[in-house]
Amino acid sequence: MSTLTVAQALVRFLAAQYTERDGVRHRLIAATWGIFGHGNVAGIGQALVEYGEEMPYHQGRNEQAMVHAAVGYARQSNRLSTHAVTTSIGPGATNLVTGAALATINRLPVLLLPGDGFATRPADPVLQQLEVPYAGEVSVNDCLRPVSKYFDRITRPEALIPAALAAVRVLADPVETGAVTLALPQDVQAEAYDWPEEFFAERTWTVRRPRPDTAELEAAVEAIGVARRPLIIAGGGVRYSGAEGALRTFAERTRIPVATTQAGKGVLPYDHDCETGGIGHTGSSTANELARTSDLVIGVGTRYTDFTTASGTLFPDGVRFLNLNITGFDAHKQAALPLVADAREGLTALTEALGDHRREPADWGSSKQDWQERVDSAYAVPDENARPTQPQVLGVLDTLVTEDDILINAAGSLPGDLHKLWRARSTDQYHVEYGYSCMGYEIPAAIGVALAAPGRPVWALVGDGTYLMNPTEIVTAVQEGLPIKVVILQNHGYASIGGLSESVGGERYGTAYRFRDPDGRFTGAPLPVDLAANAASLGMRVLTARTVRDLREALAGARTSTVPTCVYVETETADTVSGPPPAQAWWDVPVAETSTRPSAVKAREEYDRHVTARRRHL
């Protein structure tokens, strides 16, 4: 028996947990992030000091950002390793909710250890306690229940043993994984208990690769065999399974074209013969035209969000769906034939079962060439001395990166431009979080990715709106000595939502960073905000680019920099040069059904025209 506090026991336990897949072991909890206050400083904080050699610690500046960093690490590690995050009670704990939702929606593991009020209730209420008259056991941490895949509150020391084992089981399970929360009352954290030694023994959790059911496999083979115009939609599950090679083999053998979601982009390199580009609202014309004429859609590791399906308007009447997914919930979407299995195992089984079955190659190569010419046009720079557009920024970066570089983005207009335009060179180069599309994700996620992929150039691409949401982890990058590259694109407002607002009759109201005019509308001059100076004040090396030529030099300098470096560029609108291709498919954002303003009336007419094309595939 070992006499330790609950916090000490938990840290020792977590340090001994491993995952194993394909014979390779990974430390499950590679480090712990923490911001300390009265709810965890004397418990988890002291335990991290006690066992610092066993559990590395990273100091964060914002609780939500710490979760983003852990998620970035987990994604780069293909869900086989992650970080824990500890906070105080009260606002520290509730700041975790957004990050937890992002992790769970994206099916990425992260362990949350928020402090909680006193289990013994020596005083009531204590500082930061939420008083709930009808339920004495409720605290603000209960906000984390709906965004957690597993939640428990440890009110007795001995309860930690089953709770910790259950938490780790969920983290390591590719079907159930997401945010896992163990709420830790501050008095219980510091309480001593005699722990059985086997609690601290090394445990290896096998990450399963379930093979498909025989009957489901036979039905899938039959469906593929009779399909005349099949299309594969590859999602993030391909990457997390490490199924890129199996997908390539399956596509090459069957000659079925492959379209990719935001999470799946890059699972085939952009120049592969079977790769057709992004699918859905932010996708390519090539992939979307194939979707509109398909008779069988083979979803591999995708959740079918509304951006992928163009809000149910992309696929034709009579289309069938075949979904290969490790999660039965996702495999049955779109009234599909389910093939519940690990993506790599399922694709391998399909390839073997189909044997020499080959289709005649579809004639879509010219469409792909046309799309690449549109990309070239958006990237083209007529004048090196002009201020760049956003697509031109991506085009300049495209000329500098290799397969080693990793690009991170999450929100604004950049995800759409990246999904359409970016030419992914490696399976893990494209890192766009679009399950939750959380502003402020990019910089902390870049830190997590840099920790998981040391030595590789990691780029956080952020608009000015996203930057203002969460810039403080720059200090963490400086403290940790992580040479992340932050590219700030300044367009003085919310470009994405501004465009959407205009299209739905909102007239871009409240979407620009400008002074109010005498009538109270935000139409005055841009605010005198200096984001470059802000980044420099947080410790970053800052390179300012005023022209395309400046940008080329600044990005090249940032790429080779050994310290955290920011490239600041004020972008031009695409009014006078070729901009990104417009949306290639619809997205449903309801418009006011009645209005006196002409812009809203016109927008509603357009909405009614599109909504008639929606189909429910039952």
Side-chain angles (χ1 to χ4, degrees), residues 97-417:
V97 174
T98 296
L102 181 148
T104 295
I105 286 171
N106 285 283
R107 320 287 170 83
L108 291 165
V110 61
L111 177 60
L112 308 180
L113 305 174
D116 213 325
F118 285 82
T120 52
R121 305 183 192 178
D124 196 17
V126 297
L127 178 63
Q128 298 179 327
Q129 178 181 333
L130 173 70
E131 293 184 89
V132 181
Y134 61 84
E137 81 281 5
V138 172
S139 80
V140 295
N141 285 346
D142 289 278
C143 294
L144 287 159
R145 288 182 183 271
V147 292
S148 297
K149 297 295 287 186
Y150 178 83
F151 179 98
D152 202 350
R153 179 176 284 109
I154 313 304
T155 57
R156 291 285 302 161
E158 57 268 35
L160 177 66
I161 295 175
L165 290 167
V168 171
R169 177 190 62 77
V170 173
L171 289 170
D173 189 328
V175 175
E176 296 189 45
T177 196
V180 167
T181 301
L182 295 180
L184 302 170
Q186 57 179 318
D187 52 346
V188 177
Q189 286 183 52
E191 188 173 343
Y193 184 73
D194 292 331
W195 305 90
E197 287 297 331
E198 54 266 37
F199 184 56
F200 306 117
E202 283 192 4
R203 283 180 174 80
T204 301
W205 302 79
T206 300
V207 179
R208 296 185 293 276
R209 287 194 179 277
R211 291 182 58 81
D213 174 79
T214 301
E216 289 187 352
L217 181 62
E218 290 175 353
V221 169
E222 180 181 357
I224 295 170
V226 300
R228 299 183 62 186
R229 298 179 305 280
L231 173 67
I232 298 168
I233 297 180
V238 175
R239 175 179 172 182
Y240 301 141
S241 170
E244 297 91 345
L247 176 65
R248 179 195 292 257
T249 299
F250 177 73
E252 290 173 350
R253 292 273 186 90
T254 60
R255 297 173 179 168
I256 300 176
V258 178
T260 55
T261 68
Q262 287 278 17
K265 188 176 175 75
V267 293
L268 290 182
Y270 78 95
D271 55 356
H272 189 276
D273 288 344
C274 294
E275 207 271 348
T276 70
I279 189 79
H281 180 64
T282 55
S284 71
S285 61
T286 308
N288 285 341
E289 284 307 310
L290 287 169
R292 291 185 179 103
T293 59
S294 61
D295 61 352
L296 178 68
V297 174
I298 306 170
V300 185
T302 179
R303 297 190 301 126
Y304 287 108
T305 69
D306 60 343
F307 261 59
T308 297
T309 68
S311 299
T313 65
L314 186 58
F315 307 108
D317 291 326
V319 68
R320 300 179 72 193
F321 290 85
L322 166 63
N323 292 341
L324 167 56
N325 204 296
I326 197 168
T327 304
F329 173 73
D330 292 316
H332 284 83
K333 287 178 177 175
Q334 307 291 103
L337 286 172
L339 189 60
V340 180
D342 170 77
R344 192 188 75 178
E345 294 301 308
L347 287 167
T348 300
L350 281 172
T351 302
E352 293 172 350
L354 285 165
D356 293 330
H357 173 80
R358 285 177 178 266
R359 299 171 51 258
E360 287 299 317
D363 183 20
W364 53 269
S366 59
S367 174
K368 181 175 180 177
Q369 180 60 37
D370 290 344
W371 183 258
Q372 288 304 316
E373 290 174 1
R374 297 179 77 176
V375 174
D376 290 338
S377 178
Y379 280 175
V381 178
D383 183 1
E384 287 277 329
N385 294 313
R387 192 162 65 179
T389 65
Q390 183 166 285
Q392 287 171 347
V393 173
L394 300 181
V396 173
L397 188 59
D398 177 77
T399 66
L400 295 172
V401 302
T402 71
E403 63 182 14
D404 285 340
D405 294 69
I406 302 170
L407 272 66
I408 299 170
N409 184 243
S413 57
L414 271 167
D417 286 357

Side-chain angles (χ1 to χ4, degrees), residues 517-529:
D517 66 12
D519 296 326
R521 301 184 70 84
F522 298 95
T523 57
L527 298 176
V529 176

Side-chain angles (χ1 to χ4, degrees), residues 416-451:
D417 286 357
L418 285 163
H419 200 204
K420 294 173 188 172
L421 304 176
W422 188 256
R423 293 161 171 162
R425 292 159 170 79
S426 62
T427 58
D428 64 350
Q429 180 174 86
Y430 188 87
H431 182 135
V432 173
E433 186 284 300
Y434 217 56
Y436 209 42
S437 189
C438 185
M439 296 178 73
Y441 171 81
E442 294 89 343
I443 294 173
I447 291 172
V449 170
L451 290 169

